[in-house]
Amino acid sequence: TLKDTEFAIIAALQYIRYLNERHTYTSIHGANLSLSIPHDVRNFACGCTPICNECERLVESGVVVVAAAGNLGYQRFETVGGSYEGYAAFSITDPGNTDSVITVGATHRFRPHTYGVSFFSSRGPTGDGRLKPDLVAPGERIESCLPDDGWGEMDGTSMAAPHVSGAAAMLMARYTELIGEPRRIKRILCESATDLGRERSFQGHGMLDVLRAFQRI
């Protein structure tokens, strides 16, 4: 069930903190959360759900947390007069609503300046009015492993988020003093992003630019 899945993810995030606290050094430097969990709006404030709180604790402990923004940017709506399709604002999903995580939307693999933000990529701001996503990265027709030992192209912000996780890992590998500094890494990646000329609530700070991120240090 969904509750069991959410509990398992929270337990995994807690386990990362446990492993890091066992040593005098940080052994796990980052976590990528390419998943989407509905926000229980009646019981928790946006960004303060159990999984968001656990992500905040993990960032506070010194771990970079990257989350997919969600794939609810274009939806089918059911009304009294029938159904229709359209773009949806305020569609960021958990744990992407967490303030301190790096929330990643999707853009075209080859022509990001032409196509801008992918039609399916969730748009901000968050339900309580905070600016999200933080970045966009290639998320269309990304080659990936499939079930049953398959291989093929996939779309989604879950394909985009690992680009940012990889960039964060590269920064920490090259500049070890960045290990344990997730907020600094987030700031570097956001400030070095390439502006695609779209709304802030669509593109965040822009498209990930790894080379420029390295040059900022």
Side-chain angles (χ1 to χ4, degrees), residues 45-169:
C46 186
C48 296
T49 60
I51 192 167
C52 288
N53 287 338
E54 197 57 49
C55 286
E56 288 283 5
R57 294 188 190 101
L58 193 56
V59 172
E60 189 64 31
S61 73
V63 177
V64 176
V65 179
V66 179
N71 302 324
L72 300 178
Y74 191 83
Q75 301 181 46
R76 177 183 293 275
F77 299 93
E78 297 292 338
T79 67
V80 177
S83 64
Y84 71 96
E85 294 182 350
Y87 292 99
F90 303 95
S91 52
I92 303 291
T93 59
D94 283 352
N97 282 310
T98 310
D99 196 49
S100 297
V101 307
I102 307 175
T103 305
V104 185
T107 187
H108 195 270
R109 178 178 177 181
F110 298 114
R111 298 182 178 181
H113 291 276
T114 300
Y115 291 99
V117 180
S118 302
F119 71 93
F120 55 79
S121 186
S122 287
R123 272 77 164 154
T126 62
D128 61 338
R130 288 173 291 114
L131 292 174
K132 286 281 183 178
D134 298 301
L135 294 168
V136 292
E140 295 185 38
R141 299 181 181 178
I142 306 301
E143 293 184 1
S144 178
C145 52
L146 300 173
D148 301 320
D149 298 322
W151 184 263
E153 294 182 342
M154 298 184 69
D155 298 337
T157 55
S158 292
M159 300 292 104
H163 285 82
V164 177
S165 294

Side-chain angles (χ1 to χ4, degrees), residues 113 192-200 203-207 212:
H113 291 276
S192 61
T194 299
D195 183 9
L196 297 180
R198 268 62 178 189
E199 286 284 346
R200 169 67 175 84
Q203 69 164 22
H205 289 86
M207 184 179 64
R212 191 179 294 141

Side-chain angles (χ1 to χ4, degrees), residues 3 8-9 22 50 65 74 81 84 90 93 102 139 156 160-161 166 173 176 182 184 188-189 193 202 209 211 215 217:
K3 287 187 177 180
I9 297 167
R22 290 177 60 187
V65 179
Y74 191 83
Y84 71 96
F90 303 95
T93 59
I102 307 175
T176 54
R184 185 180 175 191
I188 291 169
L189 293 176
F202 281 52
D209 190 318
L211 178 59
Q215 292 172 338
I217 301 175

